[in-house]
Amino acid sequence: MKILALELSAGIRSVAAVDSEVGCLAAVREEHARHTRLFFMVQQALDAAGWSRETVEGLAVGLGPGSYTGIRMAIAAAQGWHAARPITLWGINSFHVMAEGLWRSGQRGNIFLAVDAQRGEACWAGYQINDAGWQETQPLQLLPQSMVREQTQNGKRVWGPDLKPWCPAATEWHPRAEDLARLAAAAAPLTDASALTPLYLREARFAKAPPPRMIKDL
């Protein structure tokens, strides 16, 4: 199956064209750009793979946790594409995408993944990686960033995107679109495009705007 993967949950954002029977044919990355040129990246990946938009059979989206804007951009693009053409859709946990990439890069043992969740907190999860693959050992949870720093000081190996500003001992690692596509190829697809929703651990809260004030004519 020809799968286009959109992983926009971190500072390094990527798009990959992966044939499930052949492997990754193209991967395009954009590093810490102020404005993500998603459809430019998509076209670059398609051109490098020798695909047209009509030949894409499935779209995989990294659901985070991570960048609020990036994740929603990827979801909106996938849902819009699905509305125009009946393609297969997947939504994948971006922490699983990072674990897949670390396994493929040769990392082994107990590791921990973290992502800045703002407000002095971090999304955190634990994984065991061996030659056969990886397994989640601690589910996603919110921790104070100070506790994540303590974990690294106690010898825990912590990986993740853009952690250096608040956790200098962590190792930089970003989710990659090619790993996202590989996970999608082995996962059950979604049956409803509306099921593509971001992974967030904090309840969304919205403040209602005050009523408009009437200003007297001067």
Side-chain angles (χ1 to χ4, degrees), residues 143-217:
L143 290 181
Q145 291 181 359
S146 59
M147 188 174 293
V148 175
R149 287 192 294 271
E150 290 175 8
Q151 296 289 342
T152 62
Q153 294 166 2
N154 292 334
K156 296 287 194 306
R157 295 191 298 156
V158 179
W159 302 69
D162 310 313
L163 301 183
K164 291 294 184 180
W166 57 270
C167 189
T171 302
E172 192 77 2
W173 189 265
H174 287 70
R176 306 183 303 194
E178 55 267 40
D179 297 318
L180 166 61
R182 293 184 183 106
L183 290 179
L190 298 173
T191 57
D192 185 352
S194 65
L196 278 176
T197 55
L199 276 175
Y200 286 116
L201 304 185
R202 187 184 293 119
E203 182 181 355
R205 295 182 179 177
F206 300 93
K208 186 176 180 180
R213 291 184 301 133
M214 299 301 294
I215 301 177
K216 295 180 179 180
D217 295 335

Side-chain angles (χ1 to χ4, degrees), residues 56-68:
V56 174
E57 298 171 283
L59 265 171
V61 177
L63 299 180
S67 166
Y68 183 95

Side-chain angles (χ1 to χ4, degrees), residues 129-146:
I129 303 177
N130 55 36
D131 291 342
W134 54 266
Q135 183 177 5
E136 186 182 71
T137 56
Q138 290 188 15
L140 272 171
Q141 58 186 298
L142 278 175
L143 290 181
Q145 291 181 359
S146 59

Side-chain angles (χ1 to χ4, degrees), residues 23-77:
C24 182
L25 301 179
V28 179
R29 306 192 197 291
E30 190 173 69
E31 298 191 19
H32 300 94
R34 186 169 183 178
H35 303 290
T36 297
R37 301 174 299 168
L38 174 56
F39 289 103
F40 176 74
M41 295 169 67
V42 166
Q43 194 59 55
Q44 281 189 312
L46 293 177
D47 290 346
W51 296 356
S52 68
R53 295 190 182 186
E54 290 72 25
T55 60
V56 174
E57 298 171 283
L59 265 171
V61 177
L63 299 180
S67 166
Y68 183 95
T69 301
I71 296 166
R72 278 167 170 72
M73 186 185 302
I75 289 174

